[in-house]
Amino acid sequence: MFENVPEVTVADWFSGAEITSRMLRTLGRIGPGGVIIADLYERGYYVTHARTLDPASHTHFIVYGHHDLVFGLENYTLEYEDRAWEELVDAVDESTWDTMTEAVEDVVKTGPVVTRMRQHMQALGFDLTAAPYYYDRYADPGIYKQPTTRMVADRYADRTDPTITVTVKMPLDETTGALSLITITDQGSHVRGWPKALRNQFVAGAQARRVRAEADAHLRRTRTRT
């Protein structure tokens, strides 16, 4: 009796929602730390600042960020010139809807250490400024065969100086024992980077504090005091 019942996906839940030009312009005005959130309760999107988001929430999550906007607009301007903005808005809206089901699956599978790292980074003055990027890391780089580890890359802007950005690549499931990679850049130039197995919240907290210390040390070395 159920053979003709259509399959409903999470993306269908957002079929009436839309990411608009006004949202992206608001995102641009907010600047680093600005994000567009998917709200599973309201079945829609809204623009806010990352520090208002609970990193432990599975019902409100980032789908697009200020960093994504800057990077996307630069590329679309090269390709479409005067039509760049219109093309970008359409692409963001379509790609967000197309990947919504997969994004929710990754959010649900995100382990507690990833969440704790996000909480520690937020508390120490680093704001998520891009949508989390989920991907499979192969055990042997260059050989695209199993086994793979599901990873997430989070990008942060330093609230003290948003030209300082931090990227944290972590396994979704910390029990795999896979290494994480933390990198700090200044206006796109490499500052520091190191691998670390973030297997529990205590290690995550210590590494977040190290990020803060390394970023502060770099700022002291490179910024002129007034």
Side-chain angles (χ1 to χ4, degrees):
M1 67 182 284
F2 296 108
E3 56 188 35
N4 294 320
V5 175
E7 181 180 353
V8 178
T9 67
V10 175
D12 295 324
W13 190 250
F14 282 81
S15 60
E18 182 182 7
I19 291 180
T20 65
S21 175
R22 183 177 181 179
M23 287 181 178
L24 293 190
R25 293 193 186 282
T26 301
L27 188 63
R29 287 194 294 271
I30 292 174
V35 290
I36 296 178
I37 300 298
D39 185 332
L40 290 178
Y41 284 134
E42 299 295 332
R43 301 169 66 173
Y45 310 109
Y46 65 89
V47 188
T48 186
H49 196 283
R51 74 189 65 163
T52 69
L53 182 66
D54 177 5
S57 174
H58 286 175
T59 58
H60 302 76
F61 53 90
I62 301 169
V63 295
Y64 201 71
H66 180 263
H67 171 76
D68 302 316
L69 175 63
V70 172
F71 183 76
L73 188 57
E74 180 181 341
N75 287 327
Y76 272 68
T77 298
L78 289 173
E79 183 171 359
Y80 296 104
E81 297 181 344
D82 292 343
R83 295 188 297 111
W85 185 260
E86 291 76 13
E87 294 288 343
L88 177 63
V89 172
D90 288 344
V92 173
D93 182 52
E94 291 176 11
S95 64
T96 300
W97 188 83
D98 287 343
T99 59
M100 181 59 68
T101 298
E102 293 81 0
V104 172
E105 290 174 352
D106 283 322
V107 168
V108 171
K109 294 175 183 177
T110 299
V113 176
V114 173
T115 299
R116 289 297 290 159
M117 187 65 177
R118 291 170 176 170
Q119 291 171 331
H120 288 306
M121 292 289 285
Q122 185 181 77
L124 290 169
F126 296 97
D127 298 316
L128 284 164
T129 194
Y133 173 62
Y134 299 95
Y135 63 101
D136 290 319
R137 185 170 71 187
Y138 292 87
D140 191 345
I143 301 178
Y144 301 111
K145 295 180 179 180
Q146 298 290 347
T148 61
T149 300
R150 193 64 173 167
M151 304 287 292
V152 60
D154 288 333
R155 187 178 182 91
Y156 298 86
D158 187 348
R159 214 173 295 157
T160 304
D161 185 336
T163 61
I164 303 295
T165 57
V166 180
T167 302
V168 181
K169 298 179 180 179
M170 300 180 65
L172 284 190
D173 179 4
E174 64 274 5
T175 63
T176 63
L179 286 175
S180 298
L181 178 64
I182 301 171
T183 55
I184 303 173
T185 61
D186 184 356
Q187 300 185 70
S189 297
H190 180 79
V191 174
R192 289 296 303 274
W194 62 93
K196 185 69 178 181
L198 303 178
R199 293 174 180 165
N200 59 61
Q201 61 175 310
F202 305 106
V203 176
Q207 291 305 303
R209 290 190 293 274
R210 178 180 176 183
V211 172
R212 180 73 273 166
E214 295 282 3
D216 288 345
H218 174 73
L219 287 171
R220 287 193 297 271
R221 290 192 302 268
T222 59
R223 303 305 192 259
T224 302
R225 294 184 179 181
T226 56

mmCIF file of all heavy atoms in Angstrom, residues 73-120:
data_model
loop_
_atom_site.group_PDB
_atom_site.id
_atom_site.type_symbol
_atom_site.label_atom_id
_atom_site.label_comp_id
_atom_site.label_asym_id
_atom_site.label_seq_id
_atom_site.Cartn_x
_atom_site.Cartn_y
_atom_site.Cartn_z
ATOM 1 N N LEU A 73 32.152 35.966 -4.739
ATOM 2 C CA LEU A 73 31.980 37.162 -5.555
ATOM 3 C C LEU A 73 33.220 37.444 -6.391
ATOM 4 O O LEU A 73 33.120 37.863 -7.554
ATOM 5 C CB LEU A 73 31.660 38.358 -4.657
ATOM 6 C CG LEU A 73 31.255 39.652 -5.376
ATOM 7 C CD1 LEU A 73 30.042 39.413 -6.273
ATOM 8 C CD2 LEU A 73 30.961 40.750 -4.368
ATOM 9 N N GLU A 74 34.387 37.190 -5.819
ATOM 10 C CA GLU A 74 35.635 37.386 -6.568
ATOM 11 C C GLU A 74 35.669 36.480 -7.796
ATOM 12 O O GLU A 74 35.998 36.918 -8.904
ATOM 13 C CB GLU A 74 36.826 37.107 -5.664
ATOM 14 C CG GLU A 74 38.171 37.274 -6.341
ATOM 15 C CD GLU A 74 39.330 36.973 -5.409
ATOM 16 O OE1 GLU A 74 39.126 36.986 -4.185
ATOM 17 O OE2 GLU A 74 40.447 36.716 -5.912
ATOM 18 N N ASN A 75 35.336 35.204 -7.611
ATOM 19 C CA ASN A 75 35.361 34.261 -8.729
ATOM 20 C C ASN A 75 34.282 34.554 -9.761
ATOM 21 O O ASN A 75 34.519 34.466 -10.973
ATOM 22 C CB ASN A 75 35.211 32.830 -8.205
ATOM 23 C CG ASN A 75 36.466 32.338 -7.525
ATOM 24 O OD1 ASN A 75 37.568 32.706 -7.897
ATOM 25 N ND2 ASN A 75 36.316 31.512 -6.501
ATOM 26 N N TYR A 76 33.090 34.906 -9.275
ATOM 27 C CA TYR A 76 31.987 35.177 -10.205
ATOM 28 C C TYR A 76 32.219 36.469 -10.985
ATOM 29 O O TYR A 76 31.782 36.599 -12.131
ATOM 30 C CB TYR A 76 30.653 35.212 -9.455
ATOM 31 C CG TYR A 76 30.015 33.854 -9.341
ATOM 32 C CD1 TYR A 76 30.580 32.855 -8.562
ATOM 33 C CD2 TYR A 76 28.852 33.541 -10.048
ATOM 34 C CE1 TYR A 76 30.022 31.599 -8.475
ATOM 35 C CE2 TYR A 76 28.271 32.287 -9.966
ATOM 36 C CZ TYR A 76 28.857 31.318 -9.174
ATOM 37 O OH TYR A 76 28.292 30.059 -9.095
ATOM 38 N N THR A 77 32.898 37.425 -10.381
ATOM 39 C CA THR A 77 33.209 38.662 -11.099
ATOM 40 C C THR A 77 34.160 38.379 -12.251
ATOM 41 O O THR A 77 34.025 38.940 -13.347
ATOM 42 C CB THR A 77 33.826 39.699 -10.140
ATOM 43 O OG1 THR A 77 32.874 40.015 -9.113
ATOM 44 C CG2 THR A 77 34.174 40.981 -10.889
ATOM 45 N N LEU A 78 35.124 37.508 -12.022
ATOM 46 C CA LEU A 78 36.047 37.137 -13.087
ATOM 47 C C LEU A 78 35.327 36.452 -14.241
ATOM 48 O O LEU A 78 35.665 36.651 -15.411
ATOM 49 C CB LEU A 78 37.140 36.205 -12.537
ATOM 50 C CG LEU A 78 38.174 36.841 -11.610
ATOM 51 C CD1 LEU A 78 39.081 35.773 -11.026
ATOM 52 C CD2 LEU A 78 38.992 37.893 -12.348
ATOM 53 N N GLU A 79 34.320 35.667 -13.915
ATOM 54 C CA GLU A 79 33.622 34.893 -14.955
ATOM 55 C C GLU A 79 32.473 35.651 -15.595
ATOM 56 O O GLU A 79 32.279 35.580 -16.817
ATOM 57 C CB GLU A 79 33.101 33.587 -14.354
ATOM 58 C CG GLU A 79 32.431 32.676 -15.372
ATOM 59 C CD GLU A 79 32.125 31.302 -14.817
ATOM 60 O OE1 GLU A 79 32.452 31.046 -13.637
ATOM 61 O OE2 GLU A 79 31.538 30.483 -15.564
ATOM 62 N N TYR A 80 31.691 36.391 -14.783
ATOM 63 C CA TYR A 80 30.452 36.992 -15.295
ATOM 64 C C TYR A 80 30.486 38.513 -15.370
ATOM 65 O O TYR A 80 29.546 39.122 -15.886
ATOM 66 C CB TYR A 80 29.268 36.562 -14.415
ATOM 67 C CG TYR A 80 28.991 35.087 -14.448
ATOM 68 C CD1 TYR A 80 29.358 34.261 -13.389
ATOM 69 C CD2 TYR A 80 28.359 34.500 -15.544
ATOM 70 C CE1 TYR A 80 29.099 32.902 -13.412
ATOM 71 C CE2 TYR A 80 28.104 33.133 -15.578
ATOM 72 C CZ TYR A 80 28.473 32.350 -14.501
ATOM 73 O OH TYR A 80 28.219 30.996 -14.523
ATOM 74 N N GLU A 81 31.505 39.146 -14.825
ATOM 75 C CA GLU A 81 31.654 40.600 -14.840
ATOM 76 C C GLU A 81 30.402 41.290 -14.285
ATOM 77 O O GLU A 81 30.093 41.114 -13.116
ATOM 78 C CB GLU A 81 31.987 41.070 -16.264
ATOM 79 C CG GLU A 81 33.326 40.519 -16.755
ATOM 80 C CD GLU A 81 33.678 40.987 -18.138
ATOM 81 O OE1 GLU A 81 32.800 41.488 -18.867
ATOM 82 O OE2 GLU A 81 34.871 40.847 -18.509
ATOM 83 N N ASP A 82 29.679 42.050 -15.098
ATOM 84 C CA ASP A 82 28.555 42.849 -14.593
ATOM 85 C C ASP A 82 27.400 41.999 -14.063
ATOM 86 O O ASP A 82 26.570 42.495 -13.297
ATOM 87 C CB ASP A 82 28.015 43.773 -15.696
ATOM 88 C CG ASP A 82 29.014 44.860 -16.061
ATOM 89 O OD1 ASP A 82 29.943 45.089 -15.260
ATOM 90 O OD2 ASP A 82 28.876 45.458 -17.149
ATOM 91 N N ARG A 83 27.325 40.752 -14.484
ATOM 92 C CA ARG A 83 26.234 39.882 -14.032
ATOM 93 C C ARG A 83 26.635 39.034 -12.826
ATOM 94 O O ARG A 83 25.889 38.147 -12.404
ATOM 95 C CB ARG A 83 25.795 38.952 -15.168
ATOM 96 C CG ARG A 83 25.183 39.677 -16.362
ATOM 97 C CD ARG A 83 24.598 38.700 -17.370
ATOM 98 N NE ARG A 83 25.613 37.844 -17.952
ATOM 99 C CZ ARG A 83 25.724 36.533 -17.731
ATOM 100 N NH1 ARG A 83 24.871 35.925 -16.913
ATOM 101 N NH2 ARG A 83 26.669 35.815 -18.317
ATOM 102 N N ALA A 84 27.797 39.332 -12.243
ATOM 103 C CA ALA A 84 28.339 38.486 -11.180
ATOM 104 C C ALA A 84 27.385 38.353 -9.997
ATOM 105 O O ALA A 84 27.166 37.239 -9.498
ATOM 106 C CB ALA A 84 29.686 39.040 -10.712
ATOM 107 N N TRP A 85 26.828 39.465 -9.538
ATOM 108 C CA TRP A 85 25.994 39.413 -8.335
ATOM 109 C C TRP A 85 24.759 38.549 -8.546
ATOM 110 O O TRP A 85 24.442 37.679 -7.728
ATOM 111 C CB TRP A 85 25.593 40.820 -7.905
ATOM 112 C CG TRP A 85 24.843 40.823 -6.610
ATOM 113 C CD1 TRP A 85 23.497 40.903 -6.433
ATOM 114 C CD2 TRP A 85 25.403 40.685 -5.296
ATOM 115 N NE1 TRP A 85 23.174 40.848 -5.098
ATOM 116 C CE2 TRP A 85 24.324 40.710 -4.385
ATOM 117 C CE3 TRP A 85 26.698 40.555 -4.816
ATOM 118 C CZ2 TRP A 85 24.509 40.606 -3.005
ATOM 119 C CZ3 TRP A 85 26.893 40.452 -3.446
ATOM 120 C CH2 TRP A 85 25.806 40.476 -2.551
ATOM 121 N N GLU A 86 24.047 38.777 -9.650
ATOM 122 C CA GLU A 86 22.828 38.004 -9.923
ATOM 123 C C GLU A 86 23.134 36.531 -10.059
ATOM 124 O O GLU A 86 22.392 35.672 -9.540
ATOM 125 C CB GLU A 86 22.147 38.530 -11.197
ATOM 126 C CG GLU A 86 21.541 39.916 -11.082
ATOM 127 C CD GLU A 86 22.578 41.027 -11.116
ATOM 128 O OE1 GLU A 86 23.753 40.738 -11.469
ATOM 129 O OE2 GLU A 86 22.235 42.166 -10.763
ATOM 130 N N GLU A 87 24.224 36.214 -10.756
ATOM 131 C CA GLU A 87 24.590 34.810 -10.938
ATOM 132 C C GLU A 87 24.967 34.171 -9.601
ATOM 133 O O GLU A 87 24.632 33.012 -9.339
ATOM 134 C CB GLU A 87 25.763 34.696 -11.917
ATOM 135 C CG GLU A 87 25.439 35.122 -13.336
ATOM 136 C CD GLU A 87 24.548 34.126 -14.063
ATOM 137 O OE1 GLU A 87 24.438 32.975 -13.599
ATOM 138 O OE2 GLU A 87 23.968 34.513 -15.097
ATOM 139 N N LEU A 88 25.663 34.918 -8.756
ATOM 140 C CA LEU A 88 26.078 34.381 -7.465
ATOM 141 C C LEU A 88 24.877 34.102 -6.577
ATOM 142 O O LEU A 88 24.807 33.041 -5.937
ATOM 143 C CB LEU A 88 27.033 35.353 -6.767
ATOM 144 C CG LEU A 88 27.492 34.942 -5.366
ATOM 145 C CD1 LEU A 88 28.288 33.635 -5.419
ATOM 146 C CD2 LEU A 88 28.319 36.044 -4.721
ATOM 147 N N VAL A 89 23.935 35.026 -6.517
ATOM 148 C CA VAL A 89 22.745 34.831 -5.680
ATOM 149 C C VAL A 89 22.011 33.560 -6.100
ATOM 150 O O VAL A 89 21.637 32.731 -5.253
ATOM 151 C CB VAL A 89 21.806 36.045 -5.765
ATOM 152 C CG1 VAL A 89 20.490 35.759 -5.042
ATOM 153 C CG2 VAL A 89 22.467 37.281 -5.161
ATOM 154 N N ASP A 90 21.801 33.387 -7.390
ATOM 155 C CA ASP A 90 21.101 32.192 -7.882
ATOM 156 C C ASP A 90 21.882 30.926 -7.533
ATOM 157 O O ASP A 90 21.298 29.907 -7.126
ATOM 158 C CB ASP A 90 20.910 32.274 -9.397
ATOM 159 C CG ASP A 90 19.878 33.306 -9.801
ATOM 160 O OD1 ASP A 90 19.088 33.735 -8.922
ATOM 161 O OD2 ASP A 90 19.860 33.707 -10.982
ATOM 162 N N ALA A 91 23.199 30.974 -7.684
ATOM 163 C CA ALA A 91 24.027 29.791 -7.425
ATOM 164 C C ALA A 91 23.999 29.417 -5.945
ATOM 165 O O ALA A 91 23.921 28.227 -5.601
ATOM 166 C CB ALA A 91 25.457 30.045 -7.878
ATOM 167 N N VAL A 92 24.077 30.408 -5.057
ATOM 168 C CA VAL A 92 24.055 30.129 -3.621
ATOM 169 C C VAL A 92 22.729 29.509 -3.225
ATOM 170 O O VAL A 92 22.679 28.528 -2.475
ATOM 171 C CB VAL A 92 24.314 31.414 -2.811
ATOM 172 C CG1 VAL A 92 24.119 31.158 -1.318
ATOM 173 C CG2 VAL A 92 25.725 31.923 -3.062
ATOM 174 N N ASP A 93 21.642 30.084 -3.734
ATOM 175 C CA ASP A 93 20.315 29.562 -3.401
ATOM 176 C C ASP A 93 20.156 28.116 -3.883
ATOM 177 O O ASP A 93 19.704 27.239 -3.138
ATOM 178 C CB ASP A 93 19.241 30.455 -4.033
ATOM 179 C CG ASP A 93 17.835 29.995 -3.687
ATOM 180 O OD1 ASP A 93 17.535 29.812 -2.485
ATOM 181 O OD2 ASP A 93 17.026 29.809 -4.620
ATOM 182 N N GLU A 94 20.555 27.852 -5.119
ATOM 183 C CA GLU A 94 20.389 26.510 -5.684
ATOM 184 C C GLU A 94 21.307 25.489 -5.011
ATOM 185 O O GLU A 94 20.873 24.379 -4.668
ATOM 186 C CB GLU A 94 20.668 26.544 -7.190
ATOM 187 C CG GLU A 94 19.610 27.301 -7.982
ATOM 188 C CD GLU A 94 19.964 27.404 -9.450
ATOM 189 O OE1 GLU A 94 20.925 26.714 -9.881
ATOM 190 O OE2 GLU A 94 19.305 28.169 -10.169
ATOM 191 N N SER A 95 22.568 25.836 -4.813
ATOM 192 C CA SER A 95 23.503 24.872 -4.240
ATOM 193 C C SER A 95 23.175 24.563 -2.791
ATOM 194 O O SER A 95 23.362 23.431 -2.327
ATOM 195 C CB SER A 95 24.943 25.391 -4.361
ATOM 196 O OG SER A 95 25.123 26.575 -3.611
ATOM 197 N N THR A 96 22.675 25.559 -2.053
ATOM 198 C CA THR A 96 22.286 25.320 -0.662
ATOM 199 C C THR A 96 21.149 24.322 -0.600
ATOM 200 O O THR A 96 21.163 23.389 0.212
ATOM 201 C CB THR A 96 21.874 26.639 0.022
ATOM 202 O OG1 THR A 96 22.987 27.548 -0.004
ATOM 203 C CG2 THR A 96 21.452 26.403 1.462
ATOM 204 N N TRP A 97 20.162 24.491 -1.455
ATOM 205 C CA TRP A 97 19.030 23.559 -1.472
ATOM 206 C C TRP A 97 19.485 22.168 -1.930
ATOM 207 O O TRP A 97 19.094 21.155 -1.354
ATOM 208 C CB TRP A 97 17.926 24.074 -2.394
ATOM 209 C CG TRP A 97 16.674 23.260 -2.307
ATOM 210 C CD1 TRP A 97 15.672 23.361 -1.392
ATOM 211 C CD2 TRP A 97 16.307 22.183 -3.188
ATOM 212 N NE1 TRP A 97 14.697 22.422 -1.640
ATOM 213 C CE2 TRP A 97 15.054 21.681 -2.719
ATOM 214 C CE3 TRP A 97 16.901 21.596 -4.306
ATOM 215 C CZ2 TRP A 97 14.404 20.628 -3.351
ATOM 216 C CZ3 TRP A 97 16.243 20.540 -4.925
ATOM 217 C CH2 TRP A 97 15.012 20.072 -4.452
ATOM 218 N N ASP A 98 20.331 22.120 -2.954
ATOM 219 C CA ASP A 98 20.775 20.834 -3.503
ATOM 220 C C ASP A 98 21.543 20.007 -2.477
ATOM 221 O O ASP A 98 21.501 18.772 -2.512
ATOM 222 C CB ASP A 98 21.678 21.054 -4.729
ATOM 223 C CG ASP A 98 20.898 21.511 -5.945
ATOM 224 O OD1 ASP A 98 19.656 21.366 -5.957
ATOM 225 O OD2 ASP A 98 21.529 22.043 -6.879
ATOM 226 N N THR A 99 22.272 20.663 -1.584
ATOM 227 C CA THR A 99 23.127 19.940 -0.632
ATOM 228 C C THR A 99 22.542 19.882 0.777
ATOM 229 O O THR A 99 23.209 19.405 1.694
ATOM 230 C CB THR A 99 24.517 20.608 -0.558
ATOM 231 O OG1 THR A 99 24.371 21.979 -0.139
ATOM 232 C CG2 THR A 99 25.211 20.572 -1.914
ATOM 233 N N MET A 100 21.306 20.315 0.942
ATOM 234 C CA MET A 100 20.723 20.406 2.278
ATOM 235 C C MET A 100 20.622 19.044 2.973
ATOM 236 O O MET A 100 20.963 18.903 4.155
ATOM 237 C CB MET A 100 19.334 21.058 2.209
ATOM 238 C CG MET A 100 18.643 21.227 3.566
ATOM 239 S SD MET A 100 19.600 22.246 4.708
ATOM 240 C CE MET A 100 19.470 23.841 3.898
ATOM 241 N N THR A 101 20.178 18.032 2.273
ATOM 242 C CA THR A 101 20.019 16.711 2.882
ATOM 243 C C THR A 101 21.362 16.181 3.384
ATOM 244 O O THR A 101 21.472 15.696 4.514
ATOM 245 C CB THR A 101 19.402 15.720 1.880
ATOM 246 O OG1 THR A 101 18.086 16.188 1.520
ATOM 247 C CG2 THR A 101 19.278 14.332 2.498
ATOM 248 N N GLU A 102 22.400 16.295 2.548
ATOM 249 C CA GLU A 102 23.728 15.836 2.950
ATOM 250 C C GLU A 102 24.264 16.656 4.121
ATOM 251 O O GLU A 102 24.916 16.121 5.031
ATOM 252 C CB GLU A 102 24.689 15.916 1.769
ATOM 253 C CG GLU A 102 24.388 14.947 0.637
ATOM 254 C CD GLU A 102 23.296 15.438 -0.297
ATOM 255 O OE1 GLU A 102 22.765 16.550 -0.054
ATOM 256 O OE2 GLU A 102 22.973 14.715 -1.251
ATOM 257 N N ALA A 103 23.991 17.959 4.106
ATOM 258 C CA ALA A 103 24.485 18.821 5.180
ATOM 259 C C ALA A 103 23.877 18.423 6.523
ATOM 260 O O ALA A 103 24.585 18.354 7.538
ATOM 261 C CB ALA A 103 24.154 20.284 4.873
ATOM 262 N N VAL A 104 22.589 18.148 6.544
ATOM 263 C CA VAL A 104 21.935 17.750 7.792
ATOM 264 C C VAL A 104 22.486 16.412 8.275
ATOM 265 O O VAL A 104 22.699 16.217 9.482
ATOM 266 C CB VAL A 104 20.407 17.687 7.606
ATOM 267 C CG1 VAL A 104 19.737 17.077 8.838
ATOM 268 C CG2 VAL A 104 19.852 19.081 7.359
ATOM 269 N N GLU A 105 22.731 15.489 7.364
ATOM 270 C CA GLU A 105 23.310 14.201 7.758
ATOM 271 C C GLU A 105 24.671 14.400 8.410
ATOM 272 O O GLU A 105 24.997 13.747 9.412
ATOM 273 C CB GLU A 105 23.429 13.300 6.522
ATOM 274 C CG GLU A 105 22.081 12.823 5.988
ATOM 275 C CD GLU A 105 22.220 12.049 4.687
ATOM 276 O OE1 GLU A 105 23.347 12.015 4.124
ATOM 277 O OE2 GLU A 105 21.213 11.490 4.211
ATOM 278 N N ASP A 106 25.486 15.307 7.867
ATOM 279 C CA ASP A 106 26.800 15.570 8.458
ATOM 280 C C ASP A 106 26.670 16.253 9.813
ATOM 281 O O ASP A 106 27.429 15.942 10.746
ATOM 282 C CB ASP A 106 27.637 16.438 7.516
ATOM 283 C CG ASP A 106 28.212 15.656 6.346
ATOM 284 O OD1 ASP A 106 28.610 14.494 6.552
ATOM 285 O OD2 ASP A 106 28.262 16.198 5.226
ATOM 286 N N VAL A 107 25.732 17.165 9.941
ATOM 287 C CA VAL A 107 25.522 17.850 11.227
ATOM 288 C C VAL A 107 25.156 16.834 12.305
ATOM 289 O O VAL A 107 25.678 16.873 13.427
ATOM 290 C CB VAL A 107 24.419 18.923 11.095
ATOM 291 C CG1 VAL A 107 23.984 19.422 12.474
ATOM 292 C CG2 VAL A 107 24.908 20.092 10.246
ATOM 293 N N VAL A 108 24.277 15.907 11.970
ATOM 294 C CA VAL A 108 23.830 14.905 12.938
ATOM 295 C C VAL A 108 24.982 13.993 13.342
ATOM 296 O O VAL A 108 25.077 13.559 14.504
ATOM 297 C CB VAL A 108 22.664 14.080 12.357
ATOM 298 C CG1 VAL A 108 22.338 12.893 13.250
ATOM 299 C CG2 VAL A 108 21.428 14.963 12.184
ATOM 300 N N LYS A 109 25.892 13.706 12.430
ATOM 301 C CA LYS A 109 27.008 12.793 12.702
ATOM 302 C C LYS A 109 28.196 13.474 13.381
ATOM 303 O O LYS A 109 29.169 12.815 13.734
ATOM 304 C CB LYS A 109 27.484 12.154 11.388
ATOM 305 C CG LYS A 109 26.461 11.222 10.747
ATOM 306 C CD LYS A 109 26.966 10.729 9.413
ATOM 307 C CE LYS A 109 25.927 9.847 8.718
ATOM 308 N NZ LYS A 109 26.384 9.427 7.369
ATOM 309 N N THR A 110 28.117 14.784 13.552
ATOM 310 C CA THR A 110 29.240 15.517 14.134
ATOM 311 C C THR A 110 29.454 15.130 15.590
ATOM 312 O O THR A 110 28.534 15.205 16.408
ATOM 313 C CB THR A 110 28.998 17.035 14.031
ATOM 314 O OG1 THR A 110 28.888 17.396 12.645
ATOM 315 C CG2 THR A 110 30.142 17.809 14.662
ATOM 316 N N GLY A 111 30.682 14.718 15.913
ATOM 317 C CA GLY A 111 30.987 14.259 17.260
ATOM 318 C C GLY A 111 31.127 15.391 18.262
ATOM 319 O O GLY A 111 31.269 16.564 17.893
ATOM 320 N N PRO A 112 31.122 15.070 19.550
ATOM 321 C CA PRO A 112 31.163 16.091 20.599
ATOM 322 C C PRO A 112 32.454 16.895 20.644
ATOM 323 O O PRO A 112 32.443 18.050 21.066
ATOM 324 C CB PRO A 112 30.977 15.279 21.894
ATOM 325 C CG PRO A 112 31.374 13.879 21.538
ATOM 326 C CD PRO A 112 30.996 13.704 20.111
ATOM 327 N N VAL A 113 33.580 16.308 20.209
ATOM 328 C CA VAL A 113 34.834 17.059 20.265
ATOM 329 C C VAL A 113 34.834 18.197 19.240
ATOM 330 O O VAL A 113 35.350 19.288 19.510
ATOM 331 C CB VAL A 113 36.042 16.131 20.071
ATOM 332 C CG1 VAL A 113 37.334 16.930 20.026
ATOM 333 C CG2 VAL A 113 36.111 15.112 21.202
ATOM 334 N N VAL A 114 34.245 17.978 18.068
ATOM 335 C CA VAL A 114 34.113 19.058 17.087
ATOM 336 C C VAL A 114 33.286 20.193 17.690
ATOM 337 O O VAL A 114 33.648 21.377 17.598
ATOM 338 C CB VAL A 114 33.456 18.557 15.784
ATOM 339 C CG1 VAL A 114 33.177 19.731 14.840
ATOM 340 C CG2 VAL A 114 34.345 17.533 15.096
ATOM 341 N N THR A 115 32.182 19.815 18.332
ATOM 342 C CA THR A 115 31.329 20.825 18.965
ATOM 343 C C THR A 115 32.073 21.578 20.056
ATOM 344 O O THR A 115 31.996 22.811 20.155
ATOM 345 C CB THR A 115 30.074 20.161 19.559
ATOM 346 O OG1 THR A 115 29.333 19.538 18.497
ATOM 347 C CG2 THR A 115 29.193 21.185 20.261
ATOM 348 N N ARG A 116 32.827 20.863 20.875
ATOM 349 C CA ARG A 116 33.565 21.505 21.958
ATOM 350 C C ARG A 116 34.650 22.432 21.402
ATOM 351 O O ARG A 116 34.879 23.516 21.949
ATOM 352 C CB ARG A 116 34.190 20.455 22.872
ATOM 353 C CG ARG A 116 33.184 19.696 23.713
ATOM 354 C CD ARG A 116 32.449 20.621 24.664
ATOM 355 N NE ARG A 116 33.308 21.112 25.728
ATOM 356 C CZ ARG A 116 33.078 22.201 26.445
ATOM 357 N NH1 ARG A 116 32.031 22.962 26.164
ATOM 358 N NH2 ARG A 116 33.894 22.560 27.418
ATOM 359 N N MET A 117 35.307 22.026 20.326
ATOM 360 C CA MET A 117 36.311 22.894 19.715
ATOM 361 C C MET A 117 35.662 24.190 19.242
ATOM 362 O O MET A 117 36.216 25.285 19.443
ATOM 363 C CB MET A 117 36.986 22.179 18.545
ATOM 364 C CG MET A 117 38.170 22.937 17.947
ATOM 365 S SD MET A 117 39.542 23.080 19.134
ATOM 366 C CE MET A 117 40.769 23.913 18.143
ATOM 367 N N ARG A 118 34.508 24.096 18.640
ATOM 368 C CA ARG A 118 33.800 25.295 18.188
ATOM 369 C C ARG A 118 33.427 26.188 19.371
ATOM 370 O O ARG A 118 33.532 27.419 19.290
ATOM 371 C CB ARG A 118 32.542 24.899 17.402
ATOM 372 C CG ARG A 118 32.848 24.259 16.046
ATOM 373 C CD ARG A 118 31.612 23.656 15.409
ATOM 374 N NE ARG A 118 31.900 23.129 14.078
ATOM 375 C CZ ARG A 118 31.060 22.384 13.367
ATOM 376 N NH1 ARG A 118 29.867 22.063 13.880
ATOM 377 N NH2 ARG A 118 31.407 21.964 12.163
ATOM 378 N N GLN A 119 32.994 25.581 20.450
ATOM 379 C CA GLN A 119 32.637 26.356 21.641
ATOM 380 C C GLN A 119 33.861 27.052 22.232
ATOM 381 O O GLN A 119 33.796 28.230 22.605
ATOM 382 C CB GLN A 119 31.980 25.442 22.681
ATOM 383 C CG GLN A 119 30.602 24.944 22.269
ATOM 384 C CD GLN A 119 30.066 23.872 23.194
ATOM 385 O OE1 GLN A 119 30.826 23.115 23.804
ATOM 386 N NE2 GLN A 119 28.744 23.778 23.309
ATOM 387 N N HIS A 120 34.984 26.333 22.315
ATOM 388 C CA HIS A 120 36.210 26.924 22.851
ATOM 389 C C HIS A 120 36.694 28.077 21.969
ATOM 390 O O HIS A 120 37.093 29.137 22.482
ATOM 391 C CB HIS A 120 37.319 25.870 22.950
ATOM 392 C CG HIS A 120 37.125 24.859 24.025
ATOM 393 N ND1 HIS A 120 36.906 25.197 25.338
ATOM 394 C CD2 HIS A 120 37.140 23.499 23.986
ATOM 395 C CE1 HIS A 120 36.787 24.102 26.078
ATOM 396 N NE2 HIS A 120 36.920 23.054 25.273
#
